[in-house]
Amino acid sequence: MNFHGGYWGGENMLDFSININPIGLNLKIKSKMADLLENIDKYPEIAANSTVLYIEEQLGLSGGQVIVGNGATELIYLFARALKPDTVMIVNPCYTEYERAFIKAGSRISDYINTEADGFKIDTERLIKAVDTHKPDVLVICNPGNPVGNFTGYQSLKPLLDKCGNNNIKMFIDESFIDFTDGKSAACLVEEYPVFVLHSMTKFYSIPGLRLGFAVSNKKLMEKLYEYKEPWTVNSIASGIVPLLLESGNARKTQTLKWLKDELDYINSSIRPMDNIKLYKSNVNFYLMRLNGAPSLKQKLIKRGIYVRTCDDFKGLDNSFIRAAVKKHKDNEIFIETIKDLI
C-alpha cells in the first residue's frame, strides 16, 4: 500500500496532512443521512443509477457519460483495469495511486517531471515534446496538482489537448481539488477530446469517511468502465445525499473561496519572509514548501501536537519538501507560530 496522510487525527493532534474543507456538513445534510439509516437494511442501487442520472442532469450531459465510485480512487483503479493501456505517461509530482493502479493493470509507466525551476507548473511545449517521444496510450494529469496545488487553465492546455486528440491519446485528468478554485472543469470537453475527468466529492464537501467521487467521459469509454465495475460500491447513504451536496454547492463554494483566499493571503505573508523556507504558489487548500531539515522539523512538530506530510514518496520531490493543509485561521496561526519557534 502507498503512504498517505490522514492517520494522525486524534483529539490531541492538529493534522495538517489531510486536505479536507474545514467548513463541515450543514445540519440539513446530516439530518438526511440520519433519515437514510431507516433503509439501511436494503441494498443500494447496483451502479448508483439515480445518482448518475442526477449528476448528468446537473452538468447538462447526455446519458452514459458519468460513472460514480466509492471515492475517486476507486475510479482510478477501475480506469486502469478496464483499459489496460500498454504505456502510460504520468505528469509528476502527483498522487501516487495513479502509478500503482496502472502497474497493477500491467501498464508500463513513463514519468514526466515538472521542474522546480518552473514552480512545478506544466510546461505545455515541453510536455508535448515528451508525448511525441514516448507516444503513450494514456496521459495522466492532476489539475490542480497534488502536492503542489497549482492550477492550469484549459486554454493554456489546448495545444496539449489537440496533440492528444489528433493522436488518439486518452487524457486522464484528475480534478479532485478543482472546487477550491474558480477554474473551469474539463468536463465540458468530453465531446471534443478523448478525456476522462475525475472529480472527488470527499475533499470539498468534507466527507472522507463516506467515500464518494464521479468521473465524466465519452459514452464509448464509459461503456468499457461499466463492463469492469463491481456492483454496489457506492452505499445508499453516500448516494442519497448527492442531491443535497450539489444543491449546496454554490453557497458552499462562495463561503469556501472567501475563507481560502483570506487564509492563503495570511499564510503567504507569514511564510514567504522566512529565510529558510521556500513556499510554492497554491490555488487550493494545501501548499508545498521546501526547507532544510524537513524530516527533523516533522518530528519536532509531532512533539508539539502537529502532523504534516513529508513528500519523499512523490517523484520529483524529496524529504526536504512538506505539504500542509490550509485549515481554520486559529489552526493556521498555531502552525505558523510553531514553525517560527522551531526554525
Side-chain angles (χ1 to χ4, degrees), residues 195-206:
V195 296
F196 178 87
V197 184
L198 186 65
H199 194 104
S200 169
M201 302 185 80
T202 293
K203 287 82 174 175
F204 182 72
Y205 291 102
S206 314

Side-chain angles (χ1 to χ4, degrees), residues 88-327:
V88 177
M89 177 174 284
I90 300 177
V91 178
N92 293 282
C94 66
Y95 186 46
T96 55
E97 293 298 333
Y98 310 138
E99 180 179 65
R100 185 170 184 263
F102 284 109
I103 287 175
K104 285 177 71 67
S107 303
R108 290 180 290 109
I109 305 299
S110 174
D111 287 310
Y112 173 90
I113 310 292
N114 289 324
T115 65
E116 184 180 3
D118 293 329
F120 301 106
K121 297 175 184 175
I122 295 173
D123 182 332
T124 304
E125 186 175 340
R126 187 168 74 91
L127 181 52
I128 287 174
K129 290 179 181 177
V131 168
D132 272 333
T133 299
H134 295 278
K135 297 178 173 55
D137 300 299
V138 173
L139 175 65
V140 179
I141 293 178
C142 188
N143 192 33
N146 176 14
V148 182
N150 47 17
F151 176 72
T152 305
Y154 290 105
Q155 278 301 113
S156 300
L157 293 178
K158 190 176 186 309
L160 181 62
L161 287 159
D162 289 337
K163 167 63 69 175
C164 290
N166 293 334
N167 291 274
N168 196 31
I169 299 169
K170 294 176 178 63
M171 282 186 70
F172 181 107
I173 304 174
D174 185 348
E175 293 186 341
S176 288
F177 292 94
I178 197 169
D179 286 333
F180 291 96
T181 78
D182 56 6
K184 188 175 181 179
S185 170
C188 63
L189 303 175
V190 296
E191 297 287 0
E192 187 178 357
Y193 295 102
V195 296
F196 178 87
V197 184
L198 186 65
H199 194 104
S200 169
M201 302 185 80
T202 293
K203 287 82 174 175
F204 182 72
Y205 291 102
S206 314
I207 52 170
L210 272 185
R211 311 302 302 145
L212 192 59
F214 67 90
V216 179
S217 192
N218 62 71
K219 294 179 183 179
K220 183 178 180 181
L221 192 150
M222 282 302 185
E223 287 173 1
K224 189 70 174 175
L225 264 68
Y226 274 108
E227 287 179 22
Y228 282 80
K229 192 179 191 306
E230 296 89 345
W232 305 302
T233 64
V234 182
N235 68 72
S236 56
I237 296 175
S239 186
I241 65 170
V242 166
L244 286 180
L245 291 175
L246 295 183
E247 286 170 17
S248 71
N250 288 337
R252 185 178 181 85
K253 185 154 189 168
T254 299
Q255 184 181 6
T256 297
L257 291 185
K258 178 169 189 320
W259 153 78
L260 185 58
K261 181 184 183 305
D262 290 345
E263 293 310 306
L264 284 176
D265 285 348
Y266 166 71
I267 290 163
N268 278 303
S269 64
S270 300
I271 294 180
R272 289 199 184 279
M274 298 184 192
D275 292 334
N276 299 326
I277 299 180
K278 182 174 182 179
L279 180 66
Y280 298 87
K281 177 177 172 56
S282 174
N283 302 105
V284 295
N285 62 325
F286 56 87
Y287 52 97
L288 184 71
M289 50 188 179
R290 185 173 196 176
L291 65 159
N292 292 328
S296 173
L297 175 63
K298 178 179 178 178
Q299 295 306 313
K300 291 176 182 177
L301 286 169
I302 289 174
K303 291 178 181 179
R304 297 285 191 97
I306 295 171
Y307 190 74
V308 293
R309 174 78 154 88
T310 47
C311 298
D312 39 312
D313 58 327
F314 289 99
K315 290 187 177 181
L317 305 181
D318 55 36
N319 65 5
S320 65
F321 290 88
I322 285 176
R323 187 194 70 192
V326 182
K327 291 184 169 291

